[in-house]
Structures are given as C-alpha cells and as structure tokens.
C-alpha cells in the first residue's frame, strides 16, 4: 500500500502514464546532476527532489500558452513544458547555446516561446509579474491564467503581500502556489510566520484558497485544473498551499544539519515519485517492466543530451555583443507611417507642424494622450490617476477618454505595479507607471534595477515600461517629496534615464520613451510643471533619447546641465551678459551624449557641470571623469561641479534655498572665468 491515496478522477491510463513520465524525468535529471556535482562537472545546484509533484502537476494542469513564473526548485516546470534537455543542460553549463548565452545561472532564465518567465534571485518579485501576464490575457479577452510560485519563506516578503492584494483588487485570473517545505534555508516556518497555515492568508486578501498534499501529483494536477477553471470563470485569483518537504539541503553545499532526521524519515515515506509509481503498478496501469523501460529510456536520453552539452565550446567573450545585448533594439515596424515617426529622423515630424504655447505639464499630458491614441496596447497605471487625474492632474480626463481598463488606479504598492507592468510587457503591452512622487520609487526599486533593467541582457526579453518620476525641490516639500534621485538609476545598465527641461522636449521625449522597447525612467521636474511654457508642436513626434541639445552657444564657459539647471543657467546668462555661457542641456542621462559633451567642452575649454542632485555620486562626477579621460587637451581649467549640498532636502524654504546649488552658481562661474 502507498501512504497516499490517489484519486485518478476521469484520467485515462495514458494520461496517468504521461503524468508519471513527467514526474520521473526531473527526478532522474536531478539524480544525475548530483553525481555531476560531486564530480565537479557542474557548479551550484538547488534541488527540488521531493517537491517535483508541485511543479509537474501544476504545469501539466495549465495550457501551454499560460505564463508560469517558476523558482529555483521548479525543474519540473521546464521539463513539463517539454523543453529539450540539451539546451537546458547548456544553460546549466553556462555555455553560449543555453537560454541566456552563459549570462545566467541554473534556473534564472525564461523562454517566451514556452511562456516561462525567468526568475531573479530576489524572492517575491515574480509574483507581481504573474499579475501583469494575467491582466494582459484579461485585456485581450483570452481565457488564460498565469501561475506563480512562492516558497514558505518567500511569503514573508512584502512583494508576496503586494502581489496577492493587487490580484484580488483587480480580479485577475492568477494562481498563486506556495510550496511549503517547512524551511526557508535553515529557518523553520515557526520563525517565519504566526498564522496557523499559510493558506489562511487568502481570506485576508479576499480570495479563495486551499491547502493540499503537494507530494500527491494527482491531487496537485486535479486541484489546479479545477482552480484554473474557477479563475477563468470568475476572473479571480486563487491561493494554493502545497505541503511538501525538501529532501536535500537548501543548495547542495549548505547541507541539512538544521533539519531533524525524523523529518527525513517521515517524508521519504511520502516520496512523490515512488508513491505514484507504486500506485500505477498496484492499479495495473503499468507493470514493473514498463517502469524499467521508461527509466532506461530516460537514462539514455539524459546521457546523450548531456554529451551534447558537454561538447559545447567554451564561451569566447565578445565585449561588443555583451554591451549590445543590454538593450533591446527598436524594430523598423515601430516607425509606422500613421505615427508620423521616421526612425532615422524621429523629430522630422515637427518641422512642418503648427505649434501651440503650452505649459510643461500640458506637454506631458499631450504626449500621454497622443500615445494612448496611437497604441491600443498602452496601459497607464498609478495611484489616483483615474478619476482623480493624478496628484498633479496629468492624467485628468484620460479615464473618460480611454476607459478604466487602460487608465488604472492602483493600490499603494509601487513594487507590485512595476512588476505588473513587466508582466504586461511579456505579453506585448507597453505601460506607463506614474510614481506619485519620484521619492516613492525607492519601494519599487528592486523591480526596476533588478528585473526591468537586466531582463534583456539575461534572456532577451524586452521590458517596455516607462516610469514617470515627478521630481525635484524648490517647493518646500521636505526630504521625501523633493529628491533628485536620477543618479540611483544612471548607474544601472539596461535602463534609460530621460530628463527634459522644456515643454517641447518633455512631449517628444515622453513619446520616444513610450516607443522605446527598453525601460525608461522619465524625470519631470514638478517645479517646472506650471512655471514654464513654450511652443509645442501639435503633431505626434519624438525627441530622440540619447541626444543632448545646445541651448545657447557661447565662448567663455561651458555649462553642462539638465532639468532646472538649464533654467538657472539661462537666468544667470540674462543677468550677466558680460560672460558668454555655452549651455548644453543633456536631456538624457543614460545613455549620455558623449559627442555633444565633447563639442561643448571644445566650445570654451572651461567646464562647469550643474545639477540639482546632491554632489557626491551625482551624474556630474561621471561626466567630469569622462571629460578628463577623453577631452583633457581641450580643457583650460579644472572641471567644476555645482550641485546641491550633501544633506537630505530640508523643508524650511530658506534652508532649501541654501541646499540647492542655484545660489552657488554665480561664484563658481566667476571662479572659472577668472582661472
Ligand atoms: C529577497 C531575498 N532575500 C534573501 C534571499 C536568499 N535566499 C535564497 S533562497 C532563501 C530561502 C527561501 O526559502 P523559501 O521561500 O521557503 O523557499 P525554498 O528555498 O524553501 O524553496 C533565501 C533566504 C533571496 N534570494 N532573496
């Protein structure tokens, strides 16, 4: 007798054997991996031995075009989606023909054709991506769910809470599976949470949930099939807690000393593969000979695919390719005639366009509206952006024009919403996520710098997400509503960072950001929103990302700046016509326009870099270093920087003035002029 009761339900013998084959394969692969690990032929390995029924049962219960967000113990997801072993082995070997060109470890990769999204090491963020994928299916009115896993330890992450809450509030067909194996590394569940069972959390989010035996592959399969139907019919999420046990260490090197040996004895009786095999044999669905035949077949298959992988040549690093793959390339089909955008000369459309005087804020609204009209697949998300129109009223009226499905109020959860945007991107959607204030991006930071930014380099998937960042000081808003945090992001390969200084650029750059296939941080200085205006072409046009603009030519001093710095420089120039400033507005901070910087340096030989961001670690330091390295012969004086004080931003308006660099600008210009 097996210790488990298997309920075959309506499954035919062929189906039951198919499930067996899918359950056995990852076990046999893992057993082989453990041998190779001992032989030093592979590096780190996270074992899912003992937990296979969850990944296998759930993957088989889904349709092949439903997104799965697997984790580090879910080999069964990859094998049950019938991914060839050779390429998987190459992935683990870190060779070029794996899924990540050798750039990612074991299970940290995805494959869009298999609807598998690559995890990042951080536990939690993958859950929100499932929301985005499910939202995409819902918007397309397709009957598809998305499924994401979490460990018991991972449920303590804020991302777990955010993702479940959003799925419930937005009525998304997402299946969340907790693999409760009793430990998060060495930490037992009683040091992880206080609820009786993790599935109890479902109630708190207003969703249904069930706890099942995660080692019983038929229970997992049948439950998830039923849950899938429920999620689709009711357009609701569902939480499933699968009880299981990890039969190996957290990863092979970490051992299992922290786990009482009685637990191993208990759970080895409940081994998912052996029990299911015995069930099939006892029910005369397979005999021992058939079992052996499958094992022999798999052994041969594994060996031959491994041979192929081991014969793969070592990677010869190609720096050009490494750098080129950080960003997704824009495709020619993006320059559609009706968009009036020529990819070779994206700003061409503006030459003949009538223009209207507009405020900075109106230019941004117009860019969003025109982009929403052009792109059916563009979704706007943010706190209070629908009926209320957003904290700064930039999206006012858009919910009436484009509907609630595309102009979405979000709960207070920056991380989950940026994650959902990335999930939407998997399905070909574009998103704009509005930070209510740029400061609050800190709670969505991980999704941006680790998920959005690295995705294309890691497994070739683009992240079409624009994060709008109302930024900057000067309005007495204190330390958490005034920060210039662009330098947090200019350090991150894979992101683009855009920072317009005038209405025309604001509109053109935002349109360009939305058309860009890469994640873009779009900084909008909120003190400029209503204080400056200018002529803005009425047409739909792009201002190219990565191109600086010479605001004013001059002969004495080069001022390299952006955002409000441009206006401070111009103000100074108007007040002091005796000093001729050459002013360069960077407009994009990542990637920097080095050609324009060089030209600007050459114009005067004296360089002052001005930014509102604090001095230390600001982009000014980077630009200064680059000029020293590449334009030293053009310099007639040391490069100076004018930036905010290295303090948090004070609330009192006099203190804030003292903090900001504007008051120090005249003295630094004179110092440079006199050099
Ligand atoms: C945000 C984050 N913190 C810490 C870690 C390091 N870490 C990797 S796996 C792990 C334990 C995870 O436990 P659990 O979620 O229960 O999953 P299991 O490994 O048991 O399958 C930890 C702490 C991480 N990957 N991500």
């Amino acid at each position: 007798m097996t210790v488990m009761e298997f309920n075959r339900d309506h499954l035919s013998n062929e189906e039951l054997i198919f499930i067996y084959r899918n359950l056995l394969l990852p076990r046999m692969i893992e057993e082989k991996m453990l041998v190779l690990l001992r032989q030093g032929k592979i590096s780190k390995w996270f074992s899912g031995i003992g937990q296979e029924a969850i990944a296998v049962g759930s993957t088989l219960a889904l349709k092949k075009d439903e997104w799965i967000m697997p984790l580090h113990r879910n080999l069964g997801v990859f094998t049950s989606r019938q991914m060839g072993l050779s390429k998987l082995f190459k992935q683990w070997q870190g060779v070029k023909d794996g899924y990540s060109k050798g750039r990612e470890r074991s299970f940290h990769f995805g494959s869009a054709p298999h609807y598998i999204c690559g995890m990042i090491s951080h536990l939690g963020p993958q859950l929100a991506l499932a929301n985005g994928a499910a939202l995409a299916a819902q918007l397309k009115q397709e009957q598809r769910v998305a499924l994401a896993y979490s460990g018991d330890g991972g449920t303590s992450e804020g991302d777990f809470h955010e993702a479940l809450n959003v799925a419930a509030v937005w009525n998304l067909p997402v299946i969340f599976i907790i693999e409760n194996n009793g430990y998060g590394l060495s930490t037992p569940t009683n040091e992880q949470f206080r609820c009786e069972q993790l599935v109890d959390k479902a109630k708190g989010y207003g969703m249904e949930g069930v706890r099942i035996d995660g080692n019983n592959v038929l229970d997992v399969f049948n439950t998830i099939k039923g849950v899938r139907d429920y999620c689709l019919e009711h357009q609701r999420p569902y939480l499933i807690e699968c009880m299981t046990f990890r039969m190996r260490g957290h990863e092979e090197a970490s051992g299992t000393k922290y786990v009482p040996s009685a637990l191993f004895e208990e759970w080895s009786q409940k081994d998912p593969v052996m029990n299911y095999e015995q069930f099939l044999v006892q029910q005369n669905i397979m005999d021992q000979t058939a079992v052996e035949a499958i094992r022999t077949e798999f052994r041969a298959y594994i060996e031959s695919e491994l041979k192929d992988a081991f014969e793969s040549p070592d990677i010869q690093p190609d720096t050009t390719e490494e750098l080129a793959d950080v960003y997704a390339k824009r495709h020619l089909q993006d320059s559609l005639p009706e968009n009036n955008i020529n990819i070779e000369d994206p700003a061409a459309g503006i030459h003949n366009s009538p223009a209207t005087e507009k405020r900075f804020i109106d230019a941004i609204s117009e860019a969003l509206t025109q982009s929403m009209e052009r792109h059916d697949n563009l979704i706007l998300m943010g706190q209070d952006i629908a009926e209320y129109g957003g904290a700064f009223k930039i999206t006012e009226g858009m919910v009436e024009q484009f509907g609630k499905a595309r102009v979405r109020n979000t709960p207070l959860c920056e991380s989950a919403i940026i994650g959902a945007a990335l999930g939407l991107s998997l399905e070909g959607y574009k998103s704009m996520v509005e930070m209510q204030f740029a400061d609050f991006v800190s709670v969505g930071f991980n999704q941006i710098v680790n998920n959005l930014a690295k995705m294309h380099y890691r497994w070739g998937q683009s992240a079409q997400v624009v994060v709008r960042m109302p930024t900057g000081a000067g309005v007495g808003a204190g330390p958490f509503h005034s920060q210039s945090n662009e330098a947090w992001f200019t350090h991150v390969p894979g992101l683009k960072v855009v920072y317009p200084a005038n209405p025309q650029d604001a509109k053109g750059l935002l349109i360009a950001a939305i058309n860009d296939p890469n994640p873009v941080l779009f900084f909008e200085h909120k003190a400029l929103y209503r204080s400056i205006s200018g002529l803005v072409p009425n047409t739909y046009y792009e201002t190219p990302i990565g191109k600086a603009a010479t605001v004013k030519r001059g002969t004495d001093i080069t001022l390299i700046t952006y955002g409000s710095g441009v206006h401070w420089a111009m103000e100074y120039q108007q007040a002091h016509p005796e000093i001729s400033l050459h002013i360069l507005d960077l407009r994009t901070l990542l990637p920097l326009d080095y050609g324009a910087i060089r030209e600007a340096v050459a114009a005067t030989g004296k360089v002052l870099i001005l930014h509102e961001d604090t001095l230390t670690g600001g982009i000014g330091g980077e630009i200064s270093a680059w000029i020293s390295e590449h334009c030293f012969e053009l310099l007639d004086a040391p490069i100076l920087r004018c930036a905010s004080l290295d303090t948090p931003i004070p609330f009192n308006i006099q203190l804030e003035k003292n903090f900001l660099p504007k008051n120090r600008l005249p003295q630094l210009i004179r110092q440079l002029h006199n050099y």
Side-chain angles (χ1 to χ4, degrees), residues 327-336 339 341-344 375 430 456 460-462 464 496 515-518 542:
Y327 292 97
K329 281 173 202 54
R330 192 129 171 225
H331 296 298
L332 272 178
Q333 63 260 32
D334 292 335
S335 56
L336 300 172
N339 283 356
I341 286 181
N342 172 353
I343 205 165
E344 307 293 332
H375 300 291
K430 292 173 177 289
H456 192 263
Q461 185 66 35
S462 70
Q464 304 202 40
K496 295 190 177 181
N515 286 334
D516 200 287
N518 294 287
E542 286 189 21

PDB file of all heavy atoms in Angstrom, residues 327-336 339 341-344 375 430 456 460-462 464 496 515-518 542:
ATOM      1  N   TYR A 327      20.532  46.293 -24.164  1.00  0.00           N
ATOM      2  CA  TYR A 327      19.302  46.988 -24.579  1.00  0.00           C
ATOM      3  C   TYR A 327      18.636  46.277 -25.749  1.00  0.00           C
ATOM      4  O   TYR A 327      19.320  45.776 -26.651  1.00  0.00           O
ATOM      5  CB  TYR A 327      19.620  48.428 -24.993  1.00  0.00           C
ATOM      6  CG  TYR A 327      20.062  49.274 -23.822  1.00  0.00           C
ATOM      7  CD1 TYR A 327      21.415  49.476 -23.558  1.00  0.00           C
ATOM      8  CD2 TYR A 327      19.124  49.841 -22.966  1.00  0.00           C
ATOM      9  CE1 TYR A 327      21.823  50.230 -22.462  1.00  0.00           C
ATOM     10  CE2 TYR A 327      19.521  50.596 -21.871  1.00  0.00           C
ATOM     11  CZ  TYR A 327      20.865  50.790 -21.621  1.00  0.00           C
ATOM     12  OH  TYR A 327      21.253  51.529 -20.543  1.00  0.00           O
ATOM     13  N   ALA A 328      17.322  46.292 -25.737  1.00  0.00           N
ATOM     14  CA  ALA A 328      16.563  45.782 -26.880  1.00  0.00           C
ATOM     15  C   ALA A 328      16.655  46.796 -28.008  1.00  0.00           C
ATOM     16  O   ALA A 328      16.696  48.007 -27.765  1.00  0.00           O
ATOM     17  CB  ALA A 328      15.108  45.590 -26.476  1.00  0.00           C
ATOM     18  N   LYS A 329      16.705  46.296 -29.219  1.00  0.00           N
ATOM     19  CA  LYS A 329      16.763  47.212 -30.356  1.00  0.00           C
ATOM     20  C   LYS A 329      15.369  47.567 -30.811  1.00  0.00           C
ATOM     21  O   LYS A 329      14.464  46.759 -30.732  1.00  0.00           O
ATOM     22  CB  LYS A 329      17.527  46.559 -31.503  1.00  0.00           C
ATOM     23  CG  LYS A 329      18.989  46.666 -31.241  1.00  0.00           C
ATOM     24  CD  LYS A 329      19.868  45.937 -32.193  1.00  0.00           C
ATOM     25  CE  LYS A 329      21.202  45.686 -31.526  1.00  0.00           C
ATOM     26  NZ  LYS A 329      21.107  44.993 -30.222  1.00  0.00           N
ATOM     27  N   ARG A 330      15.280  48.759 -31.330  1.00  0.00           N
ATOM     28  CA  ARG A 330      13.998  49.197 -31.855  1.00  0.00           C
ATOM     29  C   ARG A 330      13.800  48.573 -33.222  1.00  0.00           C
ATOM     30  O   ARG A 330      14.721  48.540 -34.025  1.00  0.00           O
ATOM     31  CB  ARG A 330      14.046  50.704 -31.967  1.00  0.00           C
ATOM     32  CG  ARG A 330      12.709  51.276 -32.211  1.00  0.00           C
ATOM     33  CD  ARG A 330      12.411  52.367 -31.252  1.00  0.00           C
ATOM     34  NE  ARG A 330      11.197  52.996 -31.718  1.00  0.00           N
ATOM     35  CZ  ARG A 330      11.023  54.281 -31.788  1.00  0.00           C
ATOM     36  NH1 ARG A 330      11.964  55.091 -31.396  1.00  0.00           N
ATOM     37  NH2 ARG A 330       9.890  54.760 -32.225  1.00  0.00           N
ATOM     38  N   HIS A 331      12.615  48.092 -33.503  1.00  0.00           N
ATOM     39  CA  HIS A 331      12.379  47.473 -34.806  1.00  0.00           C
ATOM     40  C   HIS A 331      11.813  48.490 -35.785  1.00  0.00           C
ATOM     41  O   HIS A 331      11.125  49.414 -35.390  1.00  0.00           O
ATOM     42  CB  HIS A 331      11.421  46.301 -34.669  1.00  0.00           C
ATOM     43  CG  HIS A 331      12.012  45.205 -33.834  1.00  0.00           C
ATOM     44  ND1 HIS A 331      13.148  44.542 -34.208  1.00  0.00           N
ATOM     45  CD2 HIS A 331      11.644  44.700 -32.637  1.00  0.00           C
ATOM     46  CE1 HIS A 331      13.451  43.654 -33.276  1.00  0.00           C
ATOM     47  NE2 HIS A 331      12.573  43.734 -32.307  1.00  0.00           N
ATOM     48  N   LEU A 332      12.079  48.248 -37.032  1.00  0.00           N
ATOM     49  CA  LEU A 332      11.634  49.192 -38.051  1.00  0.00           C
ATOM     50  C   LEU A 332      10.118  49.340 -38.078  1.00  0.00           C
ATOM     51  O   LEU A 332       9.599  50.399 -38.393  1.00  0.00           O
ATOM     52  CB  LEU A 332      12.142  48.750 -39.422  1.00  0.00           C
ATOM     53  CG  LEU A 332      13.536  49.286 -39.743  1.00  0.00           C
ATOM     54  CD1 LEU A 332      14.004  48.777 -41.080  1.00  0.00           C
ATOM     55  CD2 LEU A 332      13.557  50.819 -39.722  1.00  0.00           C
ATOM     56  N   GLN A 333       9.416  48.249 -37.719  1.00  0.00           N
ATOM     57  CA  GLN A 333       7.959  48.371 -37.773  1.00  0.00           C
ATOM     58  C   GLN A 333       7.422  49.387 -36.768  1.00  0.00           C
ATOM     59  O   GLN A 333       6.269  49.769 -36.822  1.00  0.00           O
ATOM     60  CB  GLN A 333       7.253  47.017 -37.602  1.00  0.00           C
ATOM     61  CG  GLN A 333       7.468  46.334 -36.280  1.00  0.00           C
ATOM     62  CD  GLN A 333       8.535  45.241 -36.424  1.00  0.00           C
ATOM     63  OE1 GLN A 333       9.451  45.359 -37.219  1.00  0.00           O
ATOM     64  NE2 GLN A 333       8.395  44.175 -35.651  1.00  0.00           N
ATOM     65  N   ASP A 334       8.310  49.822 -35.844  1.00  0.00           N
ATOM     66  CA  ASP A 334       7.879  50.871 -34.922  1.00  0.00           C
ATOM     67  C   ASP A 334       7.727  52.218 -35.614  1.00  0.00           C
ATOM     68  O   ASP A 334       7.077  53.118 -35.105  1.00  0.00           O
ATOM     69  CB  ASP A 334       8.873  51.023 -33.763  1.00  0.00           C
ATOM     70  CG  ASP A 334       8.856  49.806 -32.870  1.00  0.00           C
ATOM     71  OD1 ASP A 334       7.829  49.119 -32.849  1.00  0.00           O
ATOM     72  OD2 ASP A 334       9.882  49.541 -32.225  1.00  0.00           O
ATOM     73  N   SER A 335       8.392  52.380 -36.777  1.00  0.00           N
ATOM     74  CA  SER A 335       8.260  53.679 -37.459  1.00  0.00           C
ATOM     75  C   SER A 335       7.100  53.588 -38.445  1.00  0.00           C
ATOM     76  O   SER A 335       7.269  53.631 -39.643  1.00  0.00           O
ATOM     77  CB  SER A 335       9.558  54.072 -38.150  1.00  0.00           C
ATOM     78  OG  SER A 335       9.959  53.089 -39.039  1.00  0.00           O
ATOM     79  N   LEU A 336       5.925  53.430 -37.879  1.00  0.00           N
ATOM     80  CA  LEU A 336       4.737  53.291 -38.714  1.00  0.00           C
ATOM     81  C   LEU A 336       4.379  54.642 -39.326  1.00  0.00           C
ATOM     82  O   LEU A 336       4.469  55.663 -38.659  1.00  0.00           O
ATOM     83  CB  LEU A 336       3.567  52.812 -37.858  1.00  0.00           C
ATOM     84  CG  LEU A 336       3.772  51.460 -37.179  1.00  0.00           C
ATOM     85  CD1 LEU A 336       2.648  51.177 -36.215  1.00  0.00           C
ATOM     86  CD2 LEU A 336       3.862  50.367 -38.230  1.00  0.00           C
ATOM     87  N   ASN A 339       2.117  56.892 -37.484  1.00  0.00           N
ATOM     88  CA  ASN A 339       2.711  57.505 -36.298  1.00  0.00           C
ATOM     89  C   ASN A 339       3.485  58.766 -36.659  1.00  0.00           C
ATOM     90  O   ASN A 339       3.944  59.485 -35.778  1.00  0.00           O
ATOM     91  CB  ASN A 339       3.669  56.537 -35.616  1.00  0.00           C
ATOM     92  CG  ASN A 339       2.912  55.490 -34.840  1.00  0.00           C
ATOM     93  OD1 ASN A 339       1.697  55.553 -34.772  1.00  0.00           O
ATOM     94  ND2 ASN A 339       3.623  54.543 -34.298  1.00  0.00           N
ATOM     95  N   ILE A 341       6.353  58.994 -37.568  1.00  0.00           N
ATOM     96  CA  ILE A 341       7.695  58.968 -36.995  1.00  0.00           C
ATOM     97  C   ILE A 341       8.616  58.184 -37.909  1.00  0.00           C
ATOM     98  O   ILE A 341       8.343  57.040 -38.265  1.00  0.00           O
ATOM     99  CB  ILE A 341       7.681  58.361 -35.585  1.00  0.00           C
ATOM    100  CG1 ILE A 341       7.079  59.406 -34.649  1.00  0.00           C
ATOM    101  CG2 ILE A 341       9.080  57.995 -35.123  1.00  0.00           C
ATOM    102  CD1 ILE A 341       7.003  58.998 -33.235  1.00  0.00           C
ATOM    103  N   ASN A 342       9.658  58.861 -38.290  1.00  0.00           N
ATOM    104  CA  ASN A 342      10.663  58.228 -39.123  1.00  0.00           C
ATOM    105  C   ASN A 342      11.805  57.841 -38.191  1.00  0.00           C
ATOM    106  O   ASN A 342      12.421  58.693 -37.558  1.00  0.00           O
ATOM    107  CB  ASN A 342      11.126  59.253 -40.176  1.00  0.00           C
ATOM    108  CG  ASN A 342      12.299  58.753 -40.969  1.00  0.00           C
ATOM    109  OD1 ASN A 342      12.865  57.706 -40.671  1.00  0.00           O
ATOM    110  ND2 ASN A 342      12.666  59.527 -41.991  1.00  0.00           N
ATOM    111  N   ILE A 343      12.082  56.551 -38.126  1.00  0.00           N
ATOM    112  CA  ILE A 343      13.042  56.092 -37.127  1.00  0.00           C
ATOM    113  C   ILE A 343      14.445  56.661 -37.370  1.00  0.00           C
ATOM    114  O   ILE A 343      15.248  56.827 -36.461  1.00  0.00           O
ATOM    115  CB  ILE A 343      13.035  54.550 -37.066  1.00  0.00           C
ATOM    116  CG1 ILE A 343      13.497  54.069 -35.705  1.00  0.00           C
ATOM    117  CG2 ILE A 343      13.821  53.925 -38.166  1.00  0.00           C
ATOM    118  CD1 ILE A 343      13.190  52.622 -35.431  1.00  0.00           C
ATOM    119  N   GLU A 344      14.735  57.002 -38.628  1.00  0.00           N
ATOM    120  CA  GLU A 344      16.046  57.581 -38.946  1.00  0.00           C
ATOM    121  C   GLU A 344      16.129  59.021 -38.433  1.00  0.00           C
ATOM    122  O   GLU A 344      17.185  59.522 -38.098  1.00  0.00           O
ATOM    123  CB  GLU A 344      16.285  57.610 -40.466  1.00  0.00           C
ATOM    124  CG  GLU A 344      16.096  56.260 -41.166  1.00  0.00           C
ATOM    125  CD  GLU A 344      17.148  55.261 -40.750  1.00  0.00           C
ATOM    126  OE1 GLU A 344      18.254  55.693 -40.398  1.00  0.00           O
ATOM    127  OE2 GLU A 344      16.835  54.046 -40.739  1.00  0.00           O
ATOM    128  N   HIS A 375      -1.296  53.822 -29.518  1.00  0.00           N
ATOM    129  CA  HIS A 375      -1.004  52.456 -29.068  1.00  0.00           C
ATOM    130  C   HIS A 375      -2.182  51.886 -28.284  1.00  0.00           C
ATOM    131  O   HIS A 375      -2.362  52.206 -27.118  1.00  0.00           O
ATOM    132  CB  HIS A 375       0.225  52.450 -28.139  1.00  0.00           C
ATOM    133  CG  HIS A 375       1.483  52.960 -28.759  1.00  0.00           C
ATOM    134  ND1 HIS A 375       2.152  52.278 -29.749  1.00  0.00           N
ATOM    135  CD2 HIS A 375       2.206  54.087 -28.527  1.00  0.00           C
ATOM    136  CE1 HIS A 375       3.230  52.957 -30.100  1.00  0.00           C
ATOM    137  NE2 HIS A 375       3.290  54.058 -29.381  1.00  0.00           N
ATOM    138  N   LYS A 430       2.646  47.799 -23.577  1.00  0.00           N
ATOM    139  CA  LYS A 430       3.500  48.864 -23.068  1.00  0.00           C
ATOM    140  C   LYS A 430       2.800  49.448 -21.847  1.00  0.00           C
ATOM    141  O   LYS A 430       1.574  49.505 -21.823  1.00  0.00           O
ATOM    142  CB  LYS A 430       3.630  49.994 -24.107  1.00  0.00           C
ATOM    143  CG  LYS A 430       4.405  49.632 -25.356  1.00  0.00           C
ATOM    144  CD  LYS A 430       4.304  50.768 -26.376  1.00  0.00           C
ATOM    145  CE  LYS A 430       5.132  50.478 -27.602  1.00  0.00           C
ATOM    146  NZ  LYS A 430       6.581  50.549 -27.369  1.00  0.00           N
ATOM    147  N   HIS A 456      16.613  42.010 -20.494  1.00  0.00           N
ATOM    148  CA  HIS A 456      17.009  41.802 -21.883  1.00  0.00           C
ATOM    149  C   HIS A 456      18.377  41.160 -21.977  1.00  0.00           C
ATOM    150  O   HIS A 456      18.594  40.228 -22.751  1.00  0.00           O
ATOM    151  CB  HIS A 456      16.984  43.120 -22.679  1.00  0.00           C
ATOM    152  CG  HIS A 456      17.114  42.875 -24.143  1.00  0.00           C
ATOM    153  ND1 HIS A 456      18.317  42.976 -24.805  1.00  0.00           N
ATOM    154  CD2 HIS A 456      16.218  42.468 -25.057  1.00  0.00           C
ATOM    155  CE1 HIS A 456      18.137  42.649 -26.074  1.00  0.00           C
ATOM    156  NE2 HIS A 456      16.872  42.343 -26.258  1.00  0.00           N
ATOM    157  N   GLY A 460      16.936  38.040 -23.132  1.00  0.00           N
ATOM    158  CA  GLY A 460      16.477  38.574 -24.412  1.00  0.00           C
ATOM    159  C   GLY A 460      15.050  39.072 -24.439  1.00  0.00           C
ATOM    160  O   GLY A 460      14.484  39.300 -25.501  1.00  0.00           O
ATOM    161  N   GLN A 461      14.459  39.277 -23.263  1.00  0.00           N
ATOM    162  CA  GLN A 461      13.069  39.731 -23.213  1.00  0.00           C
ATOM    163  C   GLN A 461      13.048  41.232 -22.955  1.00  0.00           C
ATOM    164  O   GLN A 461      13.717  41.709 -22.050  1.00  0.00           O
ATOM    165  CB  GLN A 461      12.356  38.991 -22.077  1.00  0.00           C
ATOM    166  CG  GLN A 461      10.887  39.257 -21.980  1.00  0.00           C
ATOM    167  CD  GLN A 461      10.100  38.732 -23.170  1.00  0.00           C
ATOM    168  OE1 GLN A 461      10.432  37.694 -23.714  1.00  0.00           O
ATOM    169  NE2 GLN A 461       9.099  39.471 -23.582  1.00  0.00           N
ATOM    170  N   SER A 462      12.280  41.968 -23.751  1.00  0.00           N
ATOM    171  CA  SER A 462      12.310  43.415 -23.531  1.00  0.00           C
ATOM    172  C   SER A 462      11.290  43.816 -22.465  1.00  0.00           C
ATOM    173  O   SER A 462      10.294  43.121 -22.241  1.00  0.00           O
ATOM    174  CB  SER A 462      12.072  44.175 -24.827  1.00  0.00           C
ATOM    175  OG  SER A 462      10.751  44.022 -25.226  1.00  0.00           O
ATOM    176  N   GLN A 464       9.041  46.837 -21.742  1.00  0.00           N
ATOM    177  CA  GLN A 464       8.542  48.102 -22.296  1.00  0.00           C
ATOM    178  C   GLN A 464       7.748  48.849 -21.233  1.00  0.00           C
ATOM    179  O   GLN A 464       6.523  48.825 -21.232  1.00  0.00           O
ATOM    180  CB  GLN A 464       7.672  47.827 -23.513  1.00  0.00           C
ATOM    181  CG  GLN A 464       8.415  47.029 -24.556  1.00  0.00           C
ATOM    182  CD  GLN A 464       7.813  47.201 -25.930  1.00  0.00           C
ATOM    183  OE1 GLN A 464       7.408  48.290 -26.318  1.00  0.00           O
ATOM    184  NE2 GLN A 464       7.762  46.127 -26.673  1.00  0.00           N
ATOM    185  N   LYS A 496      17.154  53.334 -19.303  1.00  0.00           N
ATOM    186  CA  LYS A 496      17.401  54.635 -19.916  1.00  0.00           C
ATOM    187  C   LYS A 496      16.843  55.681 -18.952  1.00  0.00           C
ATOM    188  O   LYS A 496      15.822  55.436 -18.295  1.00  0.00           O
ATOM    189  CB  LYS A 496      16.733  54.726 -21.284  1.00  0.00           C
ATOM    190  CG  LYS A 496      17.341  53.744 -22.286  1.00  0.00           C
ATOM    191  CD  LYS A 496      16.879  53.973 -23.709  1.00  0.00           C
ATOM    192  CE  LYS A 496      17.603  52.995 -24.640  1.00  0.00           C
ATOM    193  NZ  LYS A 496      17.209  53.187 -26.055  1.00  0.00           N
ATOM    194  N   ASN A 515       7.723  54.711 -26.973  1.00  0.00           N
ATOM    195  CA  ASN A 515       8.028  53.902 -28.166  1.00  0.00           C
ATOM    196  C   ASN A 515       9.282  53.047 -27.998  1.00  0.00           C
ATOM    197  O   ASN A 515       9.517  52.133 -28.786  1.00  0.00           O
ATOM    198  CB  ASN A 515       8.200  54.816 -29.384  1.00  0.00           C
ATOM    199  CG  ASN A 515       6.863  55.354 -29.861  1.00  0.00           C
ATOM    200  OD1 ASN A 515       5.830  54.734 -29.640  1.00  0.00           O
ATOM    201  ND2 ASN A 515       6.884  56.508 -30.508  1.00  0.00           N
ATOM    202  N   ASP A 516      10.075  53.364 -27.008  1.00  0.00           N
ATOM    203  CA  ASP A 516      11.331  52.631 -26.819  1.00  0.00           C
ATOM    204  C   ASP A 516      11.037  51.235 -26.257  1.00  0.00           C
ATOM    205  O   ASP A 516      10.196  51.086 -25.369  1.00  0.00           O
ATOM    206  CB  ASP A 516      12.219  53.399 -25.830  1.00  0.00           C
ATOM    207  CG  ASP A 516      13.677  53.008 -25.948  1.00  0.00           C
ATOM    208  OD1 ASP A 516      14.030  51.884 -25.515  1.00  0.00           O
ATOM    209  OD2 ASP A 516      14.458  53.812 -26.477  1.00  0.00           O
ATOM    210  N   PRO A 517      11.717  50.216 -26.757  1.00  0.00           N
ATOM    211  CA  PRO A 517      11.449  48.875 -26.228  1.00  0.00           C
ATOM    212  C   PRO A 517      12.150  48.593 -24.902  1.00  0.00           C
ATOM    213  O   PRO A 517      12.128  47.454 -24.421  1.00  0.00           O
ATOM    214  CB  PRO A 517      11.987  47.956 -27.330  1.00  0.00           C
ATOM    215  CG  PRO A 517      13.040  48.744 -28.015  1.00  0.00           C
ATOM    216  CD  PRO A 517      12.651  50.196 -27.903  1.00  0.00           C
ATOM    217  N   ASN A 518      12.775  49.591 -24.309  1.00  0.00           N
ATOM    218  CA  ASN A 518      13.526  49.392 -23.059  1.00  0.00           C
ATOM    219  C   ASN A 518      12.861  50.148 -21.911  1.00  0.00           C
ATOM    220  O   ASN A 518      12.098  51.083 -22.134  1.00  0.00           O
ATOM    221  CB  ASN A 518      14.960  49.912 -23.240  1.00  0.00           C
ATOM    222  CG  ASN A 518      15.715  49.083 -24.240  1.00  0.00           C
ATOM    223  OD1 ASN A 518      16.102  47.960 -23.971  1.00  0.00           O
ATOM    224  ND2 ASN A 518      15.884  49.617 -25.443  1.00  0.00           N
ATOM    225  N   GLU A 542       8.719  62.555 -31.869  1.00  0.00           N
ATOM    226  CA  GLU A 542       9.679  62.116 -30.851  1.00  0.00           C
ATOM    227  C   GLU A 542      10.836  63.097 -30.776  1.00  0.00           C
ATOM    228  O   GLU A 542      11.286  63.622 -31.791  1.00  0.00           O
ATOM    229  CB  GLU A 542      10.273  60.750 -31.218  1.00  0.00           C
ATOM    230  CG  GLU A 542       9.345  59.597 -31.021  1.00  0.00           C
ATOM    231  CD  GLU A 542      10.053  58.257 -31.194  1.00  0.00           C
ATOM    232  OE1 GLU A 542      11.298  58.199 -31.083  1.00  0.00           O
ATOM    233  OE2 GLU A 542       9.348  57.273 -31.462  1.00  0.00           O
TER     234      GLU A 542
END
